[in-house]
PDB file of all heavy atoms in Angstrom:
ATOM      1  N   ALA A 206     -33.350 -59.386  44.347  1.00 95.00           N
ATOM      2  CA  ALA A 206     -32.717 -59.835  43.097  1.00 95.00           C
ATOM      3  C   ALA A 206     -31.410 -59.078  42.862  1.00 95.00           C
ATOM      4  O   ALA A 206     -30.407 -59.658  42.442  1.00 95.00           O
ATOM      5  CB  ALA A 206     -33.674 -59.628  41.925  1.00 95.00           C
ATOM      6  N   VAL A 207     -31.429 -57.778  43.148  1.00 96.00           N
ATOM      7  CA  VAL A 207     -30.210 -56.972  42.993  1.00 96.00           C
ATOM      8  C   VAL A 207     -29.123 -57.507  43.928  1.00 96.00           C
ATOM      9  O   VAL A 207     -27.973 -57.694  43.525  1.00 96.00           O
ATOM     10  CB  VAL A 207     -30.496 -55.487  43.291  1.00 96.00           C
ATOM     11  CG1 VAL A 207     -29.205 -54.714  43.488  1.00 96.00           C
ATOM     12  CG2 VAL A 207     -31.315 -54.871  42.159  1.00 96.00           C
ATOM     13  N   ASP A 209     -28.800 -60.497  45.104  1.00 91.00           N
ATOM     14  CA  ASP A 209     -28.302 -61.795  44.620  1.00 91.00           C
ATOM     15  C   ASP A 209     -27.389 -61.615  43.409  1.00 91.00           C
ATOM     16  O   ASP A 209     -26.389 -62.317  43.269  1.00 91.00           O
ATOM     17  CB  ASP A 209     -29.480 -62.710  44.260  1.00 91.00           C
ATOM     18  CG  ASP A 209     -30.207 -63.190  45.508  1.00 91.00           C
ATOM     19  OD1 ASP A 209     -29.658 -63.017  46.607  1.00 91.00           O
ATOM     20  OD2 ASP A 209     -31.321 -63.730  45.382  1.00 91.00           O
ATOM     21  N   ARG A 210     -27.746 -60.671  42.521  1.00 93.00           N
ATOM     22  CA  ARG A 210     -26.881 -60.447  41.361  1.00 93.00           C
ATOM     23  C   ARG A 210     -25.520 -59.908  41.803  1.00 93.00           C
ATOM     24  O   ARG A 210     -24.485 -60.309  41.273  1.00 93.00           O
ATOM     25  CB  ARG A 210     -27.536 -59.457  40.385  1.00 93.00           C
ATOM     26  CG  ARG A 210     -28.671 -60.079  39.604  1.00 93.00           C
ATOM     27  CD  ARG A 210     -29.133 -59.187  38.476  1.00 93.00           C
ATOM     28  NE  ARG A 210     -30.345 -59.721  37.870  1.00 93.00           N
ATOM     29  CZ  ARG A 210     -30.923 -59.200  36.789  1.00 93.00           C
ATOM     30  NH1 ARG A 210     -30.428 -58.104  36.229  1.00 93.00           N
ATOM     31  NH2 ARG A 210     -32.019 -59.734  36.290  1.00 93.00           N
ATOM     32  N   SER A 213     -23.520 -62.705  43.260  1.00 87.00           N
ATOM     33  CA  SER A 213     -23.093 -63.693  42.265  1.00 87.00           C
ATOM     34  C   SER A 213     -21.884 -63.206  41.473  1.00 87.00           C
ATOM     35  O   SER A 213     -21.133 -63.995  40.936  1.00 87.00           O
ATOM     36  CB  SER A 213     -24.244 -64.019  41.320  1.00 87.00           C
ATOM     37  OG  SER A 213     -24.430 -62.964  40.390  1.00 87.00           O
ATOM     38  N   ARG A 247     -18.783 -54.413  35.161  1.00 91.00           N
ATOM     39  CA  ARG A 247     -19.489 -55.698  35.229  1.00 91.00           C
ATOM     40  C   ARG A 247     -20.775 -55.566  36.057  1.00 91.00           C
ATOM     41  O   ARG A 247     -21.826 -56.078  35.683  1.00 91.00           O
ATOM     42  CB  ARG A 247     -18.558 -56.743  35.845  1.00 91.00           C
ATOM     43  CG  ARG A 247     -19.214 -58.016  36.317  1.00 91.00           C
ATOM     44  CD  ARG A 247     -19.231 -59.076  35.232  1.00 91.00           C
ATOM     45  NE  ARG A 247     -19.830 -60.324  35.707  1.00 91.00           N
ATOM     46  CZ  ARG A 247     -21.017 -60.768  35.311  1.00 91.00           C
ATOM     47  NH1 ARG A 247     -21.752 -60.078  34.467  1.00 91.00           N
ATOM     48  NH2 ARG A 247     -21.492 -61.908  35.764  1.00 91.00           N
ATOM     49  N   ASP A 250     -23.432 -53.600  34.146  1.00 91.00           N
ATOM     50  CA  ASP A 250     -24.019 -54.435  33.098  1.00 91.00           C
ATOM     51  C   ASP A 250     -25.024 -55.409  33.710  1.00 91.00           C
ATOM     52  O   ASP A 250     -26.158 -55.535  33.252  1.00 91.00           O
ATOM     53  CB  ASP A 250     -22.901 -55.197  32.366  1.00 91.00           C
ATOM     54  CG  ASP A 250     -23.448 -56.291  31.458  1.00 91.00           C
ATOM     55  OD1 ASP A 250     -24.417 -56.011  30.737  1.00 91.00           O
ATOM     56  OD2 ASP A 250     -22.911 -57.413  31.463  1.00 91.00           O
ATOM     57  N   LEU A 251     -24.604 -56.047  34.789  1.00 93.00           N
ATOM     58  CA  LEU A 251     -25.431 -57.078  35.415  1.00 93.00           C
ATOM     59  C   LEU A 251     -26.731 -56.503  35.972  1.00 93.00           C
ATOM     60  O   LEU A 251     -27.812 -57.038  35.760  1.00 93.00           O
ATOM     61  CB  LEU A 251     -24.606 -57.725  36.533  1.00 93.00           C
ATOM     62  CG  LEU A 251     -25.111 -59.034  37.101  1.00 93.00           C
ATOM     63  CD1 LEU A 251     -25.201 -60.069  36.007  1.00 93.00           C
ATOM     64  CD2 LEU A 251     -24.162 -59.505  38.187  1.00 93.00           C
ATOM     65  N   ARG A 254     -29.501 -55.424  33.430  1.00 93.00           N
ATOM     66  CA  ARG A 254     -30.250 -56.405  32.649  1.00 93.00           C
ATOM     67  C   ARG A 254     -31.679 -56.503  33.174  1.00 93.00           C
ATOM     68  O   ARG A 254     -31.930 -56.212  34.333  1.00 93.00           O
ATOM     69  CB  ARG A 254     -29.554 -57.777  32.745  1.00 93.00           C
ATOM     70  CG  ARG A 254     -28.175 -57.751  32.113  1.00 93.00           C
ATOM     71  CD  ARG A 254     -27.499 -59.092  32.199  1.00 93.00           C
ATOM     72  NE  ARG A 254     -26.184 -59.024  31.558  1.00 93.00           N
ATOM     73  CZ  ARG A 254     -25.485 -60.092  31.177  1.00 93.00           C
ATOM     74  NH1 ARG A 254     -25.973 -61.296  31.378  1.00 93.00           N
ATOM     75  NH2 ARG A 254     -24.320 -59.944  30.604  1.00 93.00           N
ATOM     76  N   PRO A 255     -32.600 -56.929  32.306  1.00 94.00           N
ATOM     77  CA  PRO A 255     -33.998 -56.942  32.752  1.00 94.00           C
ATOM     78  C   PRO A 255     -34.252 -57.905  33.915  1.00 94.00           C
ATOM     79  O   PRO A 255     -33.515 -58.874  34.100  1.00 94.00           O
ATOM     80  CB  PRO A 255     -34.767 -57.385  31.498  1.00 94.00           C
ATOM     81  CG  PRO A 255     -33.764 -57.745  30.478  1.00 94.00           C
ATOM     82  CD  PRO A 255     -32.417 -57.306  30.919  1.00 94.00           C
ATOM     83  N   TYR A 256     -35.294 -57.609  34.673  1.00 95.00           N
ATOM     84  CA  TYR A 256     -35.759 -58.467  35.766  1.00 95.00           C
ATOM     85  C   TYR A 256     -37.197 -58.863  35.456  1.00 95.00           C
ATOM     86  O   TYR A 256     -37.950 -58.045  34.942  1.00 95.00           O
ATOM     87  CB  TYR A 256     -35.773 -57.707  37.104  1.00 95.00           C
ATOM     88  CG  TYR A 256     -34.438 -57.163  37.536  1.00 95.00           C
ATOM     89  CD1 TYR A 256     -33.934 -56.004  36.970  1.00 95.00           C
ATOM     90  CD2 TYR A 256     -33.701 -57.796  38.534  1.00 95.00           C
ATOM     91  CE1 TYR A 256     -32.714 -55.493  37.365  1.00 95.00           C
ATOM     92  CE2 TYR A 256     -32.478 -57.286  38.945  1.00 95.00           C
ATOM     93  CZ  TYR A 256     -31.994 -56.137  38.358  1.00 95.00           C
ATOM     94  OH  TYR A 256     -30.788 -55.644  38.760  1.00 95.00           O
ATOM     95  N   ILE A 257     -37.547 -60.099  35.776  1.00 95.00           N
ATOM     96  CA  ILE A 257     -38.969 -60.460  35.728  1.00 95.00           C
ATOM     97  C   ILE A 257     -39.346 -60.892  37.140  1.00 95.00           C
ATOM     98  O   ILE A 257     -38.842 -61.886  37.655  1.00 95.00           O
ATOM     99  CB  ILE A 257     -39.243 -61.574  34.701  1.00 95.00           C
ATOM    100  CG1 ILE A 257     -38.871 -61.077  33.299  1.00 95.00           C
ATOM    101  CG2 ILE A 257     -40.719 -61.967  34.734  1.00 95.00           C
ATOM    102  CD1 ILE A 257     -39.102 -62.080  32.194  1.00 95.00           C
ATOM    103  N   LEU A 258     -40.193 -60.115  37.779  1.00 94.00           N
ATOM    104  CA  LEU A 258     -40.529 -60.333  39.185  1.00 94.00           C
ATOM    105  C   LEU A 258     -42.028 -60.169  39.360  1.00 94.00           C
ATOM    106  O   LEU A 258     -42.610 -59.167  38.908  1.00 94.00           O
ATOM    107  CB  LEU A 258     -39.790 -59.327  40.071  1.00 94.00           C
ATOM    108  CG  LEU A 258     -38.253 -59.410  40.015  1.00 94.00           C
ATOM    109  CD1 LEU A 258     -37.627 -58.179  40.618  1.00 94.00           C
ATOM    110  CD2 LEU A 258     -37.758 -60.660  40.721  1.00 94.00           C
ATOM    111  N   HIS A 259     -42.643 -61.127  40.008  1.00 92.00           N
ATOM    112  CA  HIS A 259     -44.098 -61.111  40.239  1.00 92.00           C
ATOM    113  C   HIS A 259     -44.831 -60.869  38.921  1.00 92.00           C
ATOM    114  O   HIS A 259     -45.806 -60.128  38.874  1.00 92.00           O
ATOM    115  CB  HIS A 259     -44.488 -60.035  41.255  1.00 92.00           C
ATOM    116  CG  HIS A 259     -43.923 -60.279  42.626  1.00 92.00           C
ATOM    117  ND1 HIS A 259     -44.489 -59.803  43.782  1.00 92.00           N
ATOM    118  CD2 HIS A 259     -42.844 -60.983  43.030  1.00 92.00           C
ATOM    119  CE1 HIS A 259     -43.773 -60.182  44.829  1.00 92.00           C
ATOM    120  NE2 HIS A 259     -42.760 -60.903  44.385  1.00 92.00           N
ATOM    121  N   GLY A 260     -44.313 -61.435  37.842  1.00 90.00           N
ATOM    122  CA  GLY A 260     -44.978 -61.297  36.546  1.00 90.00           C
ATOM    123  C   GLY A 260     -44.726 -59.976  35.842  1.00 90.00           C
ATOM    124  O   GLY A 260     -45.268 -59.734  34.778  1.00 90.00           O
ATOM    125  N   ASN A 261     -43.899 -59.107  36.426  1.00 92.00           N
ATOM    126  CA  ASN A 261     -43.615 -57.806  35.805  1.00 92.00           C
ATOM    127  C   ASN A 261     -42.219 -57.798  35.195  1.00 92.00           C
ATOM    128  O   ASN A 261     -41.276 -58.288  35.803  1.00 92.00           O
ATOM    129  CB  ASN A 261     -43.657 -56.686  36.858  1.00 92.00           C
ATOM    130  CG  ASN A 261     -44.988 -56.620  37.552  1.00 92.00           C
ATOM    131  OD1 ASN A 261     -45.983 -56.238  36.959  1.00 92.00           O
ATOM    132  ND2 ASN A 261     -45.013 -57.026  38.816  1.00 92.00           N
ATOM    133  N   LEU A 262     -42.122 -57.206  34.039  1.00 93.00           N
ATOM    134  CA  LEU A 262     -40.812 -56.979  33.430  1.00 93.00           C
ATOM    135  C   LEU A 262     -40.295 -55.636  33.937  1.00 93.00           C
ATOM    136  O   LEU A 262     -40.953 -54.613  33.768  1.00 93.00           O
ATOM    137  CB  LEU A 262     -40.942 -56.952  31.905  1.00 93.00           C
ATOM    138  CG  LEU A 262     -39.671 -56.609  31.134  1.00 93.00           C
ATOM    139  CD1 LEU A 262     -38.589 -57.645  31.359  1.00 93.00           C
ATOM    140  CD2 LEU A 262     -39.977 -56.486  29.643  1.00 93.00           C
TER     141      LEU A 262
ATOM    142  N   ILE B  12     -41.935 -66.754  28.491  1.00 92.00           N
ATOM    143  CA  ILE B  12     -40.997 -65.641  28.333  1.00 92.00           C
ATOM    144  C   ILE B  12     -40.224 -65.879  27.038  1.00 92.00           C
ATOM    145  O   ILE B  12     -39.712 -66.975  26.821  1.00 92.00           O
ATOM    146  CB  ILE B  12     -40.010 -65.570  29.516  1.00 92.00           C
ATOM    147  CG1 ILE B  12     -40.744 -65.245  30.820  1.00 92.00           C
ATOM    148  CG2 ILE B  12     -38.910 -64.528  29.243  1.00 92.00           C
ATOM    149  CD1 ILE B  12     -39.867 -65.328  32.063  1.00 92.00           C
ATOM    150  N   ILE B  66     -45.060 -69.528  36.579  1.00 93.00           N
ATOM    151  CA  ILE B  66     -44.395 -68.226  36.598  1.00 93.00           C
ATOM    152  C   ILE B  66     -43.269 -68.155  37.625  1.00 93.00           C
ATOM    153  O   ILE B  66     -42.201 -67.601  37.350  1.00 93.00           O
ATOM    154  CB  ILE B  66     -45.410 -67.071  36.774  1.00 93.00           C
ATOM    155  CG1 ILE B  66     -44.741 -65.707  36.674  1.00 93.00           C
ATOM    156  CG2 ILE B  66     -46.194 -67.183  38.065  1.00 93.00           C
ATOM    157  CD1 ILE B  66     -44.263 -65.334  35.297  1.00 93.00           C
ATOM    158  N   GLU B  70     -39.477 -67.265  36.664  1.00 95.00           N
ATOM    159  CA  GLU B  70     -38.770 -66.083  37.159  1.00 95.00           C
ATOM    160  C   GLU B  70     -37.422 -66.465  37.756  1.00 95.00           C
ATOM    161  O   GLU B  70     -36.426 -65.775  37.550  1.00 95.00           O
ATOM    162  CB  GLU B  70     -39.632 -65.327  38.181  1.00 95.00           C
ATOM    163  CG  GLU B  70     -40.797 -64.631  37.500  1.00 95.00           C
ATOM    164  CD  GLU B  70     -41.641 -63.789  38.449  1.00 95.00           C
ATOM    165  OE1 GLU B  70     -41.272 -63.650  39.631  1.00 95.00           O
ATOM    166  OE2 GLU B  70     -42.674 -63.264  37.988  1.00 95.00           O
ATOM    167  N   PHE B  73     -35.148 -67.361  34.786  1.00 95.00           N
ATOM    168  CA  PHE B  73     -34.770 -66.154  34.044  1.00 95.00           C
ATOM    169  C   PHE B  73     -33.686 -65.384  34.799  1.00 95.00           C
ATOM    170  O   PHE B  73     -32.724 -64.890  34.211  1.00 95.00           O
ATOM    171  CB  PHE B  73     -36.000 -65.271  33.833  1.00 95.00           C
ATOM    172  CG  PHE B  73     -35.709 -64.028  33.032  1.00 95.00           C
ATOM    173  CD1 PHE B  73     -35.545 -64.089  31.662  1.00 95.00           C
ATOM    174  CD2 PHE B  73     -35.591 -62.793  33.664  1.00 95.00           C
ATOM    175  CE1 PHE B  73     -35.272 -62.950  30.919  1.00 95.00           C
ATOM    176  CE2 PHE B  73     -35.306 -61.653  32.930  1.00 95.00           C
ATOM    177  CZ  PHE B  73     -35.144 -61.732  31.556  1.00 95.00           C
ATOM    178  N   GLU B  74     -33.849 -65.308  36.126  1.00 94.00           N
ATOM    179  CA  GLU B  74     -32.882 -64.579  36.940  1.00 94.00           C
ATOM    180  C   GLU B  74     -31.506 -65.260  36.855  1.00 94.00           C
ATOM    181  O   GLU B  74     -30.484 -64.589  36.752  1.00 94.00           O
ATOM    182  CB  GLU B  74     -33.390 -64.501  38.385  1.00 94.00           C
ATOM    183  CG  GLU B  74     -32.615 -63.590  39.315  1.00 94.00           C
ATOM    184  CD  GLU B  74     -32.417 -62.178  38.805  1.00 94.00           C
ATOM    185  OE1 GLU B  74     -33.301 -61.643  38.113  1.00 94.00           O
ATOM    186  OE2 GLU B  74     -31.345 -61.598  39.072  1.00 94.00           O
ATOM    187  N   ILE B  76     -30.405 -66.983  34.350  1.00 92.00           N
ATOM    188  CA  ILE B  76     -29.906 -66.709  32.999  1.00 92.00           C
ATOM    189  C   ILE B  76     -29.328 -65.294  32.927  1.00 92.00           C
ATOM    190  O   ILE B  76     -28.298 -65.056  32.298  1.00 92.00           O
ATOM    191  CB  ILE B  76     -31.045 -66.892  31.965  1.00 92.00           C
ATOM    192  CG1 ILE B  76     -31.433 -68.371  31.870  1.00 92.00           C
ATOM    193  CG2 ILE B  76     -30.637 -66.356  30.605  1.00 92.00           C
ATOM    194  CD1 ILE B  76     -32.700 -68.629  31.087  1.00 92.00           C
ATOM    195  N   GLN B  77     -29.993 -64.353  33.594  1.00 92.00           N
ATOM    196  CA  GLN B  77     -29.509 -62.969  33.568  1.00 92.00           C
ATOM    197  C   GLN B  77     -28.100 -62.842  34.129  1.00 92.00           C
ATOM    198  O   GLN B  77     -27.339 -61.978  33.746  1.00 92.00           O
ATOM    199  CB  GLN B  77     -30.441 -62.048  34.361  1.00 92.00           C
ATOM    200  CG  GLN B  77     -31.774 -61.812  33.693  1.00 92.00           C
ATOM    201  CD  GLN B  77     -31.598 -61.418  32.260  1.00 92.00           C
ATOM    202  OE1 GLN B  77     -31.093 -60.354  31.951  1.00 92.00           O
ATOM    203  NE2 GLN B  77     -31.977 -62.304  31.349  1.00 92.00           N
ATOM    204  N   ARG B  78     -27.791 -63.703  35.096  1.00 90.00           N
ATOM    205  CA  ARG B  78     -26.473 -63.582  35.744  1.00 90.00           C
ATOM    206  C   ARG B  78     -25.368 -64.203  34.903  1.00 90.00           C
ATOM    207  O   ARG B  78     -24.202 -64.123  35.259  1.00 90.00           O
ATOM    208  CB  ARG B  78     -26.515 -64.287  37.102  1.00 90.00           C
ATOM    209  CG  ARG B  78     -27.321 -63.524  38.111  1.00 90.00           C
ATOM    210  CD  ARG B  78     -27.136 -64.169  39.460  1.00 90.00           C
ATOM    211  NE  ARG B  78     -28.405 -64.191  40.167  1.00 90.00           N
ATOM    212  CZ  ARG B  78     -28.742 -65.101  41.058  1.00 90.00           C
ATOM    213  NH1 ARG B  78     -27.915 -66.073  41.343  1.00 90.00           N
ATOM    214  NH2 ARG B  78     -29.890 -65.042  41.664  1.00 90.00           N
ATOM    215  N   ASP B  79     -25.744 -64.860  33.800  1.00 89.00           N
ATOM    216  CA  ASP B  79     -24.747 -65.573  32.998  1.00 89.00           C
ATOM    217  C   ASP B  79     -23.931 -64.590  32.166  1.00 89.00           C
ATOM    218  O   ASP B  79     -24.489 -63.862  31.349  1.00 89.00           O
ATOM    219  CB  ASP B  79     -25.474 -66.574  32.091  1.00 89.00           C
ATOM    220  CG  ASP B  79     -24.522 -67.619  31.539  1.00 89.00           C
ATOM    221  OD1 ASP B  79     -23.357 -67.256  31.257  1.00 89.00           O
ATOM    222  OD2 ASP B  79     -24.935 -68.768  31.393  1.00 89.00           O
ATOM    223  N   PRO B  80     -22.625 -64.564  32.358  1.00 86.00           N
ATOM    224  CA  PRO B  80     -21.804 -63.602  31.598  1.00 86.00           C
ATOM    225  C   PRO B  80     -21.590 -64.037  30.150  1.00 86.00           C
ATOM    226  O   PRO B  80     -20.958 -63.308  29.392  1.00 86.00           O
ATOM    227  CB  PRO B  80     -20.473 -63.580  32.363  1.00 86.00           C
ATOM    228  CG  PRO B  80     -20.413 -64.877  33.076  1.00 86.00           C
ATOM    229  CD  PRO B  80     -21.818 -65.350  33.301  1.00 86.00           C
ATOM    230  N   HIS B  82     -23.660 -64.152  27.790  1.00 90.00           N
ATOM    231  CA  HIS B  82     -24.433 -63.376  26.820  1.00 90.00           C
ATOM    232  C   HIS B  82     -24.635 -61.963  27.371  1.00 90.00           C
ATOM    233  O   HIS B  82     -24.303 -61.668  28.507  1.00 90.00           O
ATOM    234  CB  HIS B  82     -25.778 -64.043  26.497  1.00 90.00           C
ATOM    235  CG  HIS B  82     -26.750 -64.058  27.631  1.00 90.00           C
ATOM    236  ND1 HIS B  82     -28.095 -64.183  27.467  1.00 90.00           N
ATOM    237  CD2 HIS B  82     -26.562 -63.960  28.968  1.00 90.00           C
ATOM    238  CE1 HIS B  82     -28.703 -64.159  28.646  1.00 90.00           C
ATOM    239  NE2 HIS B  82     -27.791 -64.040  29.566  1.00 90.00           N
ATOM    240  N   ARG B  83     -25.138 -61.061  26.493  1.00 86.00           N
ATOM    241  CA  ARG B  83     -25.360 -59.680  26.913  1.00 86.00           C
ATOM    242  C   ARG B  83     -26.495 -59.089  26.082  1.00 86.00           C
ATOM    243  O   ARG B  83     -27.032 -59.751  25.196  1.00 86.00           O
ATOM    244  CB  ARG B  83     -24.081 -58.862  26.747  1.00 86.00           C
ATOM    245  CG  ARG B  83     -23.576 -58.850  25.332  1.00 86.00           C
ATOM    246  CD  ARG B  83     -22.214 -58.185  25.224  1.00 86.00           C
ATOM    247  NE  ARG B  83     -21.637 -58.446  23.926  1.00 86.00           N
ATOM    248  CZ  ARG B  83     -21.915 -57.755  22.828  1.00 86.00           C
ATOM    249  NH1 ARG B  83     -22.751 -56.752  22.880  1.00 86.00           N
ATOM    250  NH2 ARG B  83     -21.375 -58.060  21.672  1.00 86.00           N
ATOM    251  N   ASP B  84     -26.827 -57.822  26.353  1.00 85.00           N
ATOM    252  CA  ASP B  84     -27.874 -57.106  25.604  1.00 85.00           C
ATOM    253  C   ASP B  84     -29.178 -57.902  25.545  1.00 85.00           C
ATOM    254  O   ASP B  84     -29.740 -58.130  24.475  1.00 85.00           O
ATOM    255  CB  ASP B  84     -27.423 -56.793  24.170  1.00 85.00           C
ATOM    256  CG  ASP B  84     -26.185 -55.921  24.138  1.00 85.00           C
ATOM    257  OD1 ASP B  84     -25.893 -55.304  25.182  1.00 85.00           O
ATOM    258  OD2 ASP B  84     -25.512 -55.869  23.105  1.00 85.00           O
ATOM    259  N   VAL B  85     -29.663 -58.296  26.706  1.00 88.00           N
ATOM    260  CA  VAL B  85     -30.897 -59.082  26.742  1.00 88.00           C
ATOM    261  C   VAL B  85     -32.106 -58.181  26.470  1.00 88.00           C
ATOM    262  O   VAL B  85     -32.246 -57.122  27.069  1.00 88.00           O
ATOM    263  CB  VAL B  85     -31.068 -59.745  28.129  1.00 88.00           C
ATOM    264  CG1 VAL B  85     -32.389 -60.493  28.202  1.00 88.00           C
ATOM    265  CG2 VAL B  85     -29.902 -60.675  28.407  1.00 88.00           C
ATOM    266  N   THR B  86     -32.940 -58.585  25.524  1.00 86.00           N
ATOM    267  CA  THR B  86     -34.190 -57.870  25.264  1.00 86.00           C
ATOM    268  C   THR B  86     -35.338 -58.847  25.455  1.00 86.00           C
ATOM    269  O   THR B  86     -35.380 -59.882  24.799  1.00 86.00           O
ATOM    270  CB  THR B  86     -34.226 -57.341  23.816  1.00 86.00           C
ATOM    271  OG1 THR B  86     -33.067 -56.559  23.597  1.00 86.00           O
ATOM    272  CG2 THR B  86     -35.471 -56.498  23.574  1.00 86.00           C
ATOM    273  N   VAL B  87     -36.235 -58.535  26.379  1.00 89.00           N
ATOM    274  CA  VAL B  87     -37.384 -59.404  26.596  1.00 89.00           C
ATOM    275  C   VAL B  87     -38.450 -59.031  25.575  1.00 89.00           C
ATOM    276  O   VAL B  87     -38.873 -57.881  25.498  1.00 89.00           O
ATOM    277  CB  VAL B  87     -37.923 -59.256  28.032  1.00 89.00           C
ATOM    278  CG1 VAL B  87     -39.184 -60.089  28.211  1.00 89.00           C
ATOM    279  CG2 VAL B  87     -36.859 -59.682  29.035  1.00 89.00           C
ATOM    280  N   ILE B  90     -43.639 -61.515  27.708  1.00 89.00           N
ATOM    281  CA  ILE B  90     -43.914 -62.228  28.944  1.00 89.00           C
ATOM    282  C   ILE B  90     -45.416 -62.211  29.103  1.00 89.00           C
ATOM    283  O   ILE B  90     -46.010 -61.145  29.202  1.00 89.00           O
ATOM    284  CB  ILE B  90     -43.188 -61.639  30.172  1.00 89.00           C
ATOM    285  CG1 ILE B  90     -43.925 -62.088  31.435  1.00 89.00           C
ATOM    286  CG2 ILE B  90     -43.086 -60.136  30.179  1.00 89.00           C
ATOM    287  CD1 ILE B  90     -43.091 -62.352  32.584  1.00 89.00           C
TER     288      ILE B  90
END
Side-chain angles (χ1 to χ4, degrees):
Chain A
V207 165
D209 288 347
R210 286 191 188 185
S213 76
R247 165 91 178 109
D250 168 45
L251 195 59
R254 296 180 179 197
Y256 301 78
I257 298 180
L258 298 165
H259 296 206
N261 302 290
L262 175 63
Chain B
I12 295 173
I66 185 70
E70 289 184 6
F73 182 76
E74 189 52 34
I76 292 169
Q77 289 311 293
R78 288 189 220 151
D79 197 324
H82 68 158
R83 59 187 168 83
D84 300 342
V85 177
T86 305
V87 176
I90 159 145

